[in-house]
Amino acid sequence: MKPHVRKIFAVSASFALLTSLSACGGDDDDDDAAPETPPQASVPQGATLDVAILGTTDLHANVLGYDYYKLAEDKSYGVDRTATLIANARRQHANTLLFDNGDTIQGTALSDYQALVSPVQCSDMIAIYKQMKLLSYDAATMGNHEFNYGLPFLSQITNVDFGLAGIGKGTAQTNPSGARDCAAPAFPFVSANVVSAASKQPIFKPWVLLDKTFKATDADGKSIDVPLKVGVIGFAPPPILQWDKANLEGHVEVTGWKETAARYVPEMKAAGADLIVALAHGGIDLATAYTPAMENGAGYLSQVPGIDALITGHQHLLFPDTNAKSQFAGQPGVELEKGLINGVPTVQAGQWGNNLGQITLKLAYDKGWQVQKDATQVQRISTRLTAQSGATPATYVEPDAAVQQLVQAEHTATIDYVKTPIGQSQFDMATYYALTGDVSALQVVNMAQIDYLTDYIAKNSPSYGALPILSAAAPFKGGRNGPGDFTYVPQGNVAINNAADLYLYPNTLQVVRVSGDIVRQWLEKTAEQFRQIDPAQVAPQDLIDTGFPTFNFDVLYAAGNALQYEIDVTRPKGSRISGLMYQGAPLDPAAQFLVVTNNYRASGGGDFPGLAGGKGDIVLQAPDASRDVLISYIKKNPTLDLATYGLDRSWRFKQLGALAGPVVFSSVPGTLAMATAHGVTNVSVYDATPDPVTQLSRYAVDLSL
């Protein structure tokens, strides 16, 4: 179960807005959303029809399976491979619909390049929309990240006039002639709950009615063509008003999902919809009581009569799921393996195109089309063909060559872009000695995270300004897989792709509120990185417990190096932290702190005290990726010197008396001078000969210093 999540900035979603909402959305040069119903073609009683509803979500501009930070292919995701899944589904099913659930246009270096670095012109389409046009999507909705680049950009690329004062299609740079129409894919965009603050009208069409002609079978088994009217409605997560306050404040307001759906679904039925599909860019959290402001309220749409199929997202999770440990397991009304919520077929297809959602419905005609619920099938189709097993590498579907080729120019330009320096470091940033105190690759991450939260509080919630801020950063690569498994950014130019070395995982930034006692327990958990050392043992003792992942070795840091603590590795687990000080005084166990971390840790990853099981007091789930936070910070502080950005050690080993034997660990051969330069002066070479398996040398740490 997912706990109630408290936010730094409360969203106000007024019920009063609903009374003034219109069935017609923003002007995207299509017909009104509620056209007059044309005469219905005759459909014989007893006819049956199968339709496969295909859904993508959270593509995040991953047009190709490629990591622009690592400058390497990744076959597990990408629209080029999702396209193959779509083609396969279309071959298997005569009748298909294809929808996208939002968070589509932002999320990679390519999307940043097209929006911020070399903004796409009004006459051209962004790369992912080119692909989606080629793939013949039927409709799409907006996620939260659609608003990250601002309303003028969104208006331009979707070719929708939002009807908002001062907001045109693009800017003077991208649409210098003020063209009324810009290039956009042919499918409609729907979003029912993002409305103009002035007119109270949705800025997109709240819903559309798709007139389809599908293959059906009559009562005698004969194949016939029949009409089907498919209503499609979309929803964006209400917290966009806090996540993108700078872009949205004063322009738009957001309404609650259930109330908005209850308003429009009857209108869709009255307009002749035979089938209604809801595209809900939010997750499934039926363990939390519904509010109009909730972030993950998609499951509650199942309680609105008339919705036949539900496509969800935002959480980057999988539904349906056979894993009993899924966070959806046990939620009221949820049938985890069948993919049903209160009987409504529901799918959530991961992220970045690594899965394709599919809801297959059987309809029977009895004075109108009726969904045969017992025949409904919900599934996710993965790009992965075989699972990772031992030495056998995973295999994946082949990419669609046409979809790949369509975006090659943008792909090449992005690679050149990420190689462009964003700053310069006057020192090597590495994790070779991070487990003995070197913070050269961690401090800048911690500083970036503190800077982000400080700025966020000042702009959005100054009431939190009195709480002290701590930041957590871990050495994601600690040598477990040899010399190449360390972070290493050499002094000199720092390019965007170097962020992958400094921040390995595609996490998003989150903030938890904890007590001083939880801070201590948090540090005790990280101290499990080390084995318990016996001071009387003469034989060499290994310092590092290699069974403890280094990405769980959080180094906590406060601005000005105000947090200080020691780790006594001779003590048993749970009692190793000593000398825990904040601003020169013993840390108060009852004091409250904000800790900037990532979504993995905040949601319980690593089973940290106070956070285990996802029970942490999360006060901010930022819309920004941790890597992007770091990149932005380096752009603001382009000259990185060692004294300012690489020597603030918040922790040290507790100084002990002389030990009977050496305490040893492994690192890259020939790098001791780097440790010394970074202030780690109690390390020496123990055995310079590289291990034949790990190719690492052995070093000793003097715990008496």
Side-chain angles (χ1 to χ4, degrees):
M1 290 188 180
K2 183 171 178 167
H4 176 66
V5 176
R6 280 170 276 182
K7 304 295 179 188
I8 275 184
F9 185 80
V11 179
S12 174
S14 172
F15 288 88
L17 289 174
L18 294 167
T19 62
S20 59
L21 292 177
S22 167
C24 298
D27 174 17
D28 58 0
D29 304 320
D30 289 331
D31 295 331
D32 289 340
E36 292 185 8
T37 304
Q40 190 78 5
S42 176
V43 178
Q45 286 289 106
T48 58
L49 164 67
D50 291 340
V51 58
I53 300 169
L54 310 177
T56 54
T57 190
D58 296 275
L59 294 175
H60 283 287
N62 284 282
V63 297
L64 303 174
Y66 190 86
D67 188 325
Y68 291 103
Y69 296 106
K70 297 179 181 177
L71 296 178
E73 181 186 32
D74 190 323
K75 297 179 180 180
S76 68
Y77 61 83
V79 176
D80 54 340
R81 284 182 165 78
T82 320
T84 300
L85 301 181
I86 292 168
N88 291 342
R90 284 172 168 164
R91 281 192 293 269
Q92 294 168 12
H93 301 275
N95 307 313
T96 60
L97 296 159
L98 177 59
F99 302 117
D100 181 70
N101 197 47
D103 272 13
T104 308
I105 69 170
Q106 183 275 347
T108 62
L110 183 147
S111 65
D112 286 348
Y113 179 78
Q114 290 204 288
L116 304 173
V117 181
S118 181
V120 66
Q121 297 297 297
C122 170
S123 58
D124 197 8
M125 266 187 281
I126 59 172
I128 197 162
Y129 279 175
K130 287 182 180 180
Q131 292 178 318
M132 293 171 73
K133 180 179 180 181
L134 181 67
L135 292 169
S136 298
Y137 273 75
D138 288 290
T141 194
M142 299 293 114
N144 49 294
H145 284 286
E146 264 66 42
F147 299 96
N148 289 171
Y149 297 132
L151 289 168
F153 181 80
L154 185 58
S155 176
Q156 173 190 315
I157 65 171
T158 58
N159 194 33
V160 175
D161 183 350
F162 294 154
L164 302 173
I167 303 296
K169 291 181 179 178
T171 64
Q173 179 185 3
T174 63
N175 188 9
S177 65
R180 181 177 183 272
D181 290 310
C182 293
F187 56 82
F189 297 96
V190 292
S191 186
N193 69 318
V194 181
V195 305
S196 164
S199 70
K200 313 305 182 188
Q201 304 288 345
I203 64 172
F204 288 95
K205 289 183 175 179
W207 56 271
V208 293
L209 206 59
L210 306 175
D211 286 305
K212 293 291 185 178
T213 300
F214 282 152
K215 294 291 183 184
T217 304
D218 66 15
D220 297 324
K222 179 183 176 182
S223 178
I224 56 174
D225 289 336
V226 299
L228 188 74
K229 289 186 177 296
V230 182
V232 188
I233 186 169
F235 302 89
I240 60 172
L241 289 184
Q242 51 178 291
W243 297 334
D244 266 307
K245 182 179 180 180
N247 290 328
L248 302 180
E249 188 173 37
H251 295 296
V252 301
E253 296 171 350
V254 183
T255 60
W257 286 12
K258 280 184 68 176
E259 299 86 349
T260 306
R263 159 84 178 186
Y264 286 125
V265 169
E267 290 185 6
M268 298 167 75
K269 287 289 189 182
D274 298 306
L275 188 69
I276 293 181
V277 181
L279 309 179
H281 192 84
I284 303 164
D285 183 10
L286 290 155
T288 301
Y290 175 78
T291 70
M294 76 184 301
E295 176 181 353
N296 292 310
Y300 283 102
L301 291 176
S302 67
Q303 298 175 357
V304 178
I307 293 177
D308 297 299
L310 183 55
I311 297 176
T312 72
H314 184 63
Q315 292 169 305
H316 293 199
L317 298 176
L318 302 174
F319 186 84
D321 198 350
T322 57
N323 184 356
K325 294 183 179 180
S326 165
Q327 77 174 56
F328 304 130
Q331 291 191 23
V334 170
E335 295 183 62
L336 184 63
E337 294 190 22
K338 290 184 178 180
L340 302 175
I341 301 179
N342 295 315
V344 177
T346 303
V347 72
Q348 185 172 151
Q351 65 187 49
W352 305 357
N354 61 7
N355 278 255
L356 175 68
Q358 180 173 311
I359 298 172
T360 307
L361 302 178
K362 181 179 287 292
L363 283 69
Y365 196 84
D366 182 9
K367 299 179 181 179
W369 289 109
Q370 311 294 329
V371 176
Q372 307 301 293
K373 292 187 176 181
D374 290 344
T376 296
Q377 183 183 21
V378 186
Q379 62 189 117
R380 293 175 294 94
I381 307 166
S382 174
T383 58
R384 186 169 59 185
L385 299 175
T386 59
Q388 190 87 23
S389 178
T392 303
T395 59
Y396 300 89
V397 298
E398 290 298 315
D400 183 300
V403 172
Q404 276 189 330
Q405 188 59 39
L406 196 61
V407 296
Q408 283 305 305
E410 295 90 338
H411 174 61
T412 301
T414 303
I415 290 175
D416 291 339
Y417 158 60
V418 299
K419 292 179 179 178
T420 303
I422 57 173
Q424 186 176 68
S425 176
Q426 298 175 357
F427 61 99
D428 296 324
M429 293 182 277
T431 59
Y432 297 151
Y433 299 91
L435 300 186
T436 54
D438 184 2
V439 296
S440 61
L442 305 180
Q443 185 180 336
V444 69
V445 175
N446 273 326
M447 293 175 75
Q449 293 181 164
I450 290 173
D451 179 76
Y452 180 94
L453 181 58
T454 301
D455 183 64
Y456 188 94
I457 289 173
K459 291 179 178 178
N460 297 284
S461 190
S463 63
Y464 277 81
L467 289 181
I469 298 173
L470 306 178
S471 177
F476 294 126
K477 295 191 291 184
R480 183 184 239 177
N481 298 311
D485 190 28
F486 288 94
T487 294
Y488 177 55
V489 178
Q491 61 179 304
N493 288 334
V494 177
I496 291 171
N497 66 293
N498 292 133
D501 242 355
L502 293 170
Y503 206 104
L504 181 64
Y505 297 109
N507 299 129
T508 54
L509 184 143
Q510 294 194 3
V511 179
V512 294
R513 179 169 50 188
V514 300
S515 67
D517 183 57
I518 294 298
V519 170
R520 176 182 291 277
Q521 293 182 55
W522 192 317
L523 294 174
E524 289 287 2
K525 181 67 176 180
T526 71
E528 293 180 13
Q529 178 73 78
F530 305 109
R531 296 179 183 273
Q532 186 174 357
I533 300 302
D534 180 358
Q537 182 172 316
V538 175
Q541 298 180 73
D542 285 317
L543 174 67
I544 310 301
D545 181 353
T546 56
F548 186 93
T550 55
F551 58 72
N552 282 336
F553 183 67
D554 285 350
V555 173
L556 295 190
Y557 173 81
N561 208 18
L563 183 76
Q564 293 285 308
Y565 56 99
E566 296 180 337
I567 300 175
D568 185 348
V569 293
T570 66
R571 300 283 299 168
K573 294 178 181 179
S575 60
R576 294 176 171 177
I577 301 301
S578 63
L580 180 54
M581 310 284 284
Y582 180 71
Q583 292 185 336
L587 187 139
D588 181 357
Q592 294 290 299
F593 293 85
L594 297 178
V595 182
V596 194
T597 181
N598 57 55
N599 58 301
Y600 171 76
R601 181 73 73 243
S603 61
D607 291 326
F608 274 58
L611 307 176
K615 297 178 181 178
D617 182 8
I618 302 173
V619 297
L620 172 63
Q621 292 178 303
D624 297 296
S626 300
R627 280 178 182 167
D628 291 340
V629 168
L630 175 60
I631 290 168
S632 295
Y633 183 76
I634 294 174
K635 285 181 177 179
K636 288 197 301 182
N637 302 274
T639 302
L640 305 176
D641 65 275
L642 180 62
T644 306
Y645 297 96
L647 290 181
D648 279 356
R649 291 179 60 183
S650 58
W651 75 276
R652 285 169 172 75
F653 290 116
K654 184 176 177 61
Q655 188 171 341
L656 306 170
L659 276 65
V663 176
V664 297
F665 66 99
S666 299
S667 192
V668 175
T671 57
L672 182 60
M674 186 183 299
T676 303
H678 295 169
V680 181
T681 57
N682 60 338
V683 171
S684 60
V685 176
Y686 179 75
D687 184 353
T689 305
D691 181 273
V693 176
T694 67
Q695 296 300 303
L696 298 174
S697 295
R698 301 285 274 170
Y699 294 85
V701 57
D702 188 345
L703 297 178
S704 68
L705 298 178

